């Protein structure tokens, strides 16, 4: 098995810190009604947690 290089030596990736600035998220009439529709993270699941729904709805509980 090949040894992975040290993280600091990797120069072919761009890793950016999360922005402290506010984001603008726009919902359109093309977005699904439920966050589990067409969501690869919910694929095959019948029930998802409140945290999951809150995350994909944009915060707020």
């Amino acid at each position: 098995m090949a040894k992975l290089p040290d993280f600091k030596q990797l120069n072919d990736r761009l890793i950016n810190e999360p922005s402290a600035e506010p984001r603008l998220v726009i919902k359109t009439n093309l977005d699904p009604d439920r966050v589990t529709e067409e969501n690869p993270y919910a694929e095959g699941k019948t029930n998802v947690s409140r945290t999951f729904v809150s995350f994909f709805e944009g915060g707020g509980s």
Side-chain angles (χ1 to χ4, degrees), residues 1 3 7 10-11 15 25-26 31-32 35 39 50-51 54:
M1 186 167 152
K3 185 177 178 186
F7 183 76
L10 297 175
N11 61 2
I15 300 173
V25 178
I26 300 172
D31 292 334
V35 296
N39 187 330
R50 257 190 205 175
T51 306
S54 176

Side-chain angles (χ1 to χ4, degrees), residues 2-5 8-9 14-15 21 23 25 30 43 47 52 56-57 60-61:
K3 185 177 178 186
L4 295 174
K8 293 178 182 178
Q9 294 175 344
L14 176 65
I15 300 173
E21 301 294 321
R23 290 186 267 180
V25 178
L30 300 175
E43 201 169 290
N47 294 326
F52 180 90
F56 283 103
E57 285 182 347
S61 31

